[in-house]
Amino acid sequence: MTAAQPWSDDVVLDVTALSVAFPADEGVVRAVSDLSYRARLGRTLAIVGESGSGKSVASMAVLGLHDPSRTRITGSIRLDGHELVGAPEWVLQSVRSTHAAMVFQDPLSALHPLHRVGAQIAEAYRAHHEVSRATAQRRAVEMLDRVGIPNPDRRAKQFPHEFSGGMRQRAMIALGLVNNPRLLIADEPTTALDVTVQAQILDLVRDLQQEFGSAVILITHDLAVVAETADDLLVMYAGRAVEQGDAKAVLARPSHPYTAGLLQSLLSPSEELTELRTIPGAPPSLLAIPPGCSFHPRCPFADRVGAPCQTVLPGWRPAPGLVNRHLRCHLTDPVVAIQETGGLR
């Protein structure tokens, strides 16, 4: 996509030309291709896209959570200046939790069912600090209290199944932040929660970010959440970035047909649901990504460009007429095309 940029003090994570592939009996699953982005202190970067777009795979690569014997990773991942691609396991272990942590989509699966919640948080703290069990347990209780869990001393002695869904997610956030990492990756942290609890969790993440000054990467498919919480937005499709820019600016004026399609599928509170608006077709298999622009089989503007859409991969370039916006599209001026048609209708 783009060459590595000069390092800046507020940059926590610098991902450059990252590709992640999984060899399989049927072929090679190209989950992420040539992906570049940065996460900065005090800002929230939202990564959005349909299921299978590569959002979670890319973020798991940051923490070295893929099995190296079954994964091919190329490019560069620099976390606080540490190059992680090709780094030995001891280096990855040293940066997990201290430099970056991840809050997973399903806390019931991420937390060990046979260990008490407080003990799990204390263990993560002791892994990076030479302290006694009692000191680590006090730290665990402190973190449970900080994320808003009532009676934290009693709750620390309970098992994950004794927590509600919202409380388990709060416990996962406490586990992620126990070592004060500069980067927190939240992978669909509100998917299984009701609307009220979703809002509470998002408010909690925002408050903790302000307190710790950390960078946050929010992986989500919910554009309403993006509008409320994100500073920057990265849109992915079939393993590639297709649009990137200021979150509010992108949502107000999308410059890629895929982003416009995602926004079109949202129902305004003032609208009556007469027909569900969707992007036609389905995302491609990552075993057989279409040549050219991977979105062209579903794009209503492909006929305007013709053969290049089907044969030539569009380059990563500045969006015409927009500040600090990049996209991957063959249209000369995609913003005008989208506005002329009112989106993908």
Side-chain angles (χ1 to χ4, degrees):
M1 287 170 60
T2 56
Q5 303 174 38
W7 193 262
S8 173
D9 289 341
D10 68 339
V11 173
V12 177
L13 177 67
D14 187 5
V15 175
T16 305
L18 175 67
S19 294
V20 182
F22 303 101
D25 293 340
E26 301 83 359
V28 177
V29 178
R30 304 188 186 282
V32 176
S33 299
D34 194 24
L35 179 65
S36 298
Y37 66 87
R38 283 183 160 191
R40 300 178 182 274
L41 290 174
R43 297 183 68 85
T44 296
L45 167 67
I47 304 180
V48 305
E50 294 167 286
S51 296
S53 61
K55 309 183 299 296
S56 296
V57 169
S59 294
M60 290 177 67
V62 170
L63 295 180
L65 298 179
H66 297 297
D67 183 346
S69 67
R70 301 180 179 181
T71 313
R72 298 176 186 168
I73 300 179
T74 59
S76 173
I77 300 173
R78 293 173 65 204
L79 178 62
D80 271 338
H82 299 275
E83 177 57 61
L84 302 185
V85 174
E89 180 60 23
W90 69 267
V91 171
L92 297 174
Q93 289 180 353
S94 70
V95 301
R96 291 181 194 134
S97 186
T98 55
H99 293 267
M102 194 165 185
V103 176
F104 293 95
Q105 182 176 158
D106 183 5
L108 191 58
S109 298
L111 292 169
H112 198 294
L114 302 181
H115 293 278
R116 301 178 195 276
V117 171
Q120 296 185 57
I121 299 173
E123 181 183 6
Y125 188 67
R126 292 191 73 201
H128 299 279
H129 299 83
E130 294 184 3
V131 297
S132 66
R133 291 183 183 274
T135 298
Q137 186 67 19
R138 286 195 296 270
R139 174 64 172 170
V141 172
E142 173 190 327
M143 289 305 302
L144 289 175
D145 182 56
R146 182 63 196 84
V147 298
I149 291 181
N151 302 314
D153 188 60
R154 179 173 65 87
R155 288 293 189 175
K157 299 170 185 174
Q158 294 181 327
F159 295 92
H161 72 270
E162 297 178 272
F163 281 48
S164 68
M167 288 178 64
R168 280 195 294 268
Q169 197 59 277
R170 288 174 183 269
M172 276 298 302
I173 294 172
L175 177 61
L177 293 177
V178 69
N179 290 303
N180 297 334
R182 282 159 46 96
L183 172 65
L184 179 67
I185 302 173
D187 187 358
E188 300 278 9
T190 61
T191 295
L193 306 177
D194 62 53
V195 175
T196 302
V197 179
Q198 283 184 21
Q200 293 173 353
I201 294 298
L202 292 172
D203 287 343
L204 172 63
V205 171
R206 184 164 47 240
D207 291 345
L208 292 172
Q209 180 185 36
Q210 293 174 355
E211 177 180 340
F212 292 101
S214 55
V216 172
I217 294 178
L218 177 63
I219 302 170
T220 183
H221 63 275
D222 191 335
L223 294 179
V225 168
V226 173
E228 182 181 348
T229 62
D231 300 297
D232 307 297
L233 177 59
L234 175 69
V235 183
M236 293 186 66
Y237 183 79
R240 294 185 183 273
V242 295
E243 183 164 7
Q244 185 175 28
D246 175 84
K248 289 181 173 56
V250 172
L251 296 179
R253 196 179 184 189
S255 63
H256 193 281
Y258 178 61
T259 310
L262 292 177
L263 287 167
Q264 179 183 281
S265 66
L266 293 177
L267 182 66
S268 168
S270 61
E271 289 183 282
E272 292 185 7
L273 181 59
T274 56
E275 182 180 355
L276 184 63
R277 296 193 298 269
T278 62
I279 302 174
S285 166
L286 296 178
L287 281 165
I289 299 175
C293 173
S294 56
F295 186 59
H296 84 259
R298 307 173 71 188
C299 182
F301 304 111
D303 291 342
R304 296 193 182 193
V305 178
C309 273
Q310 302 177 27
T311 59
V312 180
L313 177 69
W316 185 247
R317 62 187 175 97
L322 299 176
V323 179
N324 295 327
R325 183 85 64 85
H326 287 76
L327 81 161
R328 190 184 294 278
C329 183
H330 282 302
L331 285 170
T332 302
D333 196 336
V335 174
V336 172
I338 291 169
Q339 291 178 335
E340 286 176 349
T341 60
L344 299 189
R345 301 179 191 182

